[in-house]
């Protein structure tokens, strides 16, 4: 990663991080309501958008396909490293799901293509002690989730959206997709997946955002 510890980019980035941290401190957007998935389409406090906003730390790494790798490691029986060709050689699946961002927008009916979490788990085989997963990204971002949430039919490592390659601004070549949790759990520019025993907060989880992040019960912020 480039050294971005100084200059205007870092200034803007710091401001964005501080704003989102303040939201967490103030409990902004919380409605105190709950909604039922499958019955209502929008989780509480969300509104539908037709576009796809871009949110990140302001650094969008340019990961060339000939340099791209995905490493899956930690508490697994069979750690793997896939380059781009090896990743595409794994079984590919298609799925349609909604996404919900903690900044209150939701986007319906996104068509994804990629490698399913179920398949990845069948390859790497988590050890019994493995309880949590950490996604690591090429921009230095991290986010954590329970293995039980990763191990679900709608979770994928995606490289296509609406039939087109996932663009760089949305996390291409490959991002994680965990549609049942707020979108900050869906790491863009995915580089590594780590299996661990005890939960370990990621970037936003260390800055006031919820450890779990279920939109249906408005797990926006930690208390
Ligand atoms: N690597 C990485 N992944 C990330 C982020 C980031 O800054 N870096 N931001 C997260 C946040 S806060 C959100 S809301 C979504 C936004 O995804 P989008 O830009 O494709 O809408 O990406 C998540 N994944
Ligand atoms: Mo976000």
């Amino acid at each position: 990663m480039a050294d971005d510890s100084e200059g205007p980019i870092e200034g803007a980035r710091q401001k964005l991080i501080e704003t989102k941290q303040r939201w967490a401190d103030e409990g902004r957007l919380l409605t105190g309501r709950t909604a039922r998935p499958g019955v209502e389409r929008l989780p509480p406090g969300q509104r539908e958008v037709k576009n796809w906003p871009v949110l990140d730390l302001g650094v969008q790494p340019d990961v060339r396909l000939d340099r791209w790798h995905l490493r899956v490691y930690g508490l697994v029986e069979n750690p793997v490293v896939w380059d781009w060709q090896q990743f595409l050689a794994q079984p590919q699946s298609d799925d349609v799901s909604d996404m919900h961002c903690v900044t209150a927008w939701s986007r319906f009916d996104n068509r994804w293509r990629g490698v399913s979490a179920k398949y990845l788990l069948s390859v790497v085989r988590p050890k019994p002690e493995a309880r949590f997963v950490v996604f690591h990204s090429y921009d230095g971002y991290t986010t954590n989730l329970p293995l039980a949430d990763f191990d679900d039919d709608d979770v994928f490592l995606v490289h296509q959206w609406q039939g087109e390659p996932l663009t760089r601004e949305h996390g291409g070549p490959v991002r994680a997709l965990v549609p049942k949790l707020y979108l900050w759990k869906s790491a863009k520019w995915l580089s590594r997946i780590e299996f661990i025993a005890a939960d370990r907060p990621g970037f936003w989880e260390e800055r006031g955002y919820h450890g779990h992040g279920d939109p249906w019960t408005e797990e926006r912020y930690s208390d």
Side-chain angles (χ1 to χ4, degrees), residues 41-102:
R41 189 81 185 263
L42 269 180
Q46 297 291 111
R47 68 193 148 72
E48 186 191 355
V49 297
K50 296 288 188 186
N51 61 332
W52 186 7
V54 174
L55 288 110
D56 50 51
L57 303 176
V59 177
Q60 300 179 339
D62 187 2
V63 190
R64 285 172 42 181
L65 292 182
D66 59 355
R67 300 230 187 100
W68 181 89
H69 287 92
L70 176 68
R71 188 154 82 89
V72 188
Y73 65 107
L75 297 172
V76 292
E77 302 290 350
N78 181 40
V80 296
V81 181
W82 287 329
D83 66 16
W84 181 246
Q85 294 308 327
Q86 290 169 317
F87 178 76
L88 289 186
Q90 310 303 317
Q92 303 289 318
S93 313
D94 295 284
D95 199 33
V96 174
S97 57
D98 299 346
M99 53 184 155
H100 308 293
C101 175
V102 74

Side-chain angles (χ1 to χ4, degrees), residues 20 52-57 101 137 139 141 170 175 186 188:
K20 284 181 85 172
W52 186 7
V54 174
L55 288 110
D56 50 51
L57 303 176
C101 175
S137 298
D139 60 343
Y141 185 82
H170 287 300
R175 79 180 294 167
S186 293
K188 310 204 279 192

